[in-house]
Amino acid sequence: MRPPLTRRRWLQRWSAAVLLPLGTQPEPEPAGRRAVALTARRFAFDPEVIDVRRNDIVRVTLTSTDIAHSFTVDAYRIQKRVPPGGTVTFEFRADEVGRFPFYCSMRADAGCAEMRGELIVR
């Protein structure tokens, strides 16, 4: 006799069916880790280019030296905000190869629209 289908078991089955379609294998463990110290200031990112390898776990420490800024990468659905003079740390897995623009999505000042950089995943 099968155990009853609990909510947890249903979610496990649903996740397996939706997230791992037939014929695919789970992705291998990440190749490595990469720490990036990123500074946001009026009106630029330093560094402007972040270069990582596919499957790296990228740990970004974003620091603002002045006003509130953000780090936005549309392709990775990342949008992190850092308060004035503050720091925020976050991680993401660089699982797609390509060149992806990042930018500040804050509009506190017109110069924010000029803050751009590039994430390169090899």
Side-chain angles (χ1 to χ4, degrees), residues 27-66:
E27 296 242 345
E29 288 296 314
R33 299 186 74 78
R34 176 74 194 274
V36 176
L38 186 64
T39 302
R41 68 175 62 87
R42 291 185 189 199
F43 291 101
F45 287 106
D46 184 26
E48 291 182 356
V49 175
I50 299 172
D51 197 340
V52 299
R53 295 185 185 275
R54 183 173 185 259
N55 288 327
D56 279 354
I57 300 297
V58 182
R59 182 182 184 93
V60 177
T61 302
L62 175 62
T63 302
S64 168
T65 61
D66 46 33

Side-chain angles (χ1 to χ4, degrees), residues 11 16 20 32 46 75 92 94-95 97-98 102-103 106 115-116 118:
L11 284 172
L20 292 175
D46 184 26
F92 68 97
D95 59 353
V97 173
F102 62 83
Y103 60 95
M106 302 294 289
M115 293 180 66
R116 303 214 171 267
E118 186 174 44

Side-chain angles (χ1 to χ4, degrees), residues 63-97:
T63 302
S64 168
T65 61
D66 46 33
I67 64 175
H69 293 287
S70 76
F71 175 84
T72 304
V73 183
D74 293 331
Y76 277 89
R77 294 182 156 189
I78 298 170
Q79 186 173 26
K80 299 295 180 181
R81 181 178 179 198
V82 61
T87 298
V88 65
T89 301
F90 58 94
E91 292 183 343
F92 68 97
R93 183 172 173 211
D95 59 353
E96 290 194 41
V97 173

Side-chain angles (χ1 to χ4, degrees), residues 1-10 13:
M1 183 172 170
R2 282 186 182 176
L5 186 61
T6 63
R7 180 181 175 155
R8 183 176 185 176
R9 285 199 177 112
W10 182 86
R13 288 182 185 172

